[in-house]
Amino acid sequence: MELIDSHAHLNDPAFDADRGDLIARLPQAGVTLSVEIGCAPEEWRPALDLSAQYPALIRAVLGVHPEYAPKLTQAGIRELENLLADKNNVAVGEIGLDYTCLEIADKNLQQDVFTQMLGLANKTHLPVVLHVRREGEDYAAYEDTFAALKRDWTPVSGRKHAGVLHCFCARYEEAKKALDQGLLLGINGCFTYKKNEYIREAVKKAGADKIIFETDCPYLSPQGKRGTRNDPSNIPLIAQFTADYLNVPLEELAQITTKNARELYGLE
């Protein structure tokens, strides 16, 4: 059985003490690949370096998280465009809108940087990894994201999946709009939390063939491990919980989600 962690932050300082050992043990945990997200300028080269160090186990995704929008300069855009061409980079991300950090990056700045990131995705013909986070019950961040995608994004042609709505934490209404734009849903520890039945219901309605698994580690450990550091070896726990909820055999769901991740990131 093969599983992929489609979204991780293994360069986070939380892994400084045992990063190498952890990555080397991933196949034993049933995780054959982890995708490292470099979502700030200072993270781009380390993400590529990690992939170069572990070419069989790590791929990179580079972009600007909305929280880090103030860090982007014109020189940074040029640098990012060059780095996106690296053979170990497989997408542009994580990019999008986060309306919980408006004191750091206001809506206008976030939307401007998001538009620039979509422009790079168009230019490089790479899929997108989207970060969308709402403020409370206000879903404006999702509405604005979908509007920007329709206005500024040209999905990659020739790929079944053009992007992923990372860390899906919304209703079926948002799931449907994401699917209609060729996006997959990224499922992580949030799916296992007791209070998140609305997320589970939305994913069940969307269908098992529309998801990929992720950890977003070191954050969002699955239920039963909350309060501890998350890492890619928890993917099997997330997969088992999801398989049980969706009433799909684990081996079948692993095959579906791994195929989706490989198609998304052009790994076949």
Side-chain angles (χ1 to χ4, degrees), residues 23 53 59 178 182-183 207 256:
I23 293 173
Q53 186 177 358
R59 290 294 184 275
L183 303 174
I256 291 169

Side-chain angles (χ1 to χ4, degrees), residues 25 76 91 137:
R25 293 196 307 269
E137 294 306 309

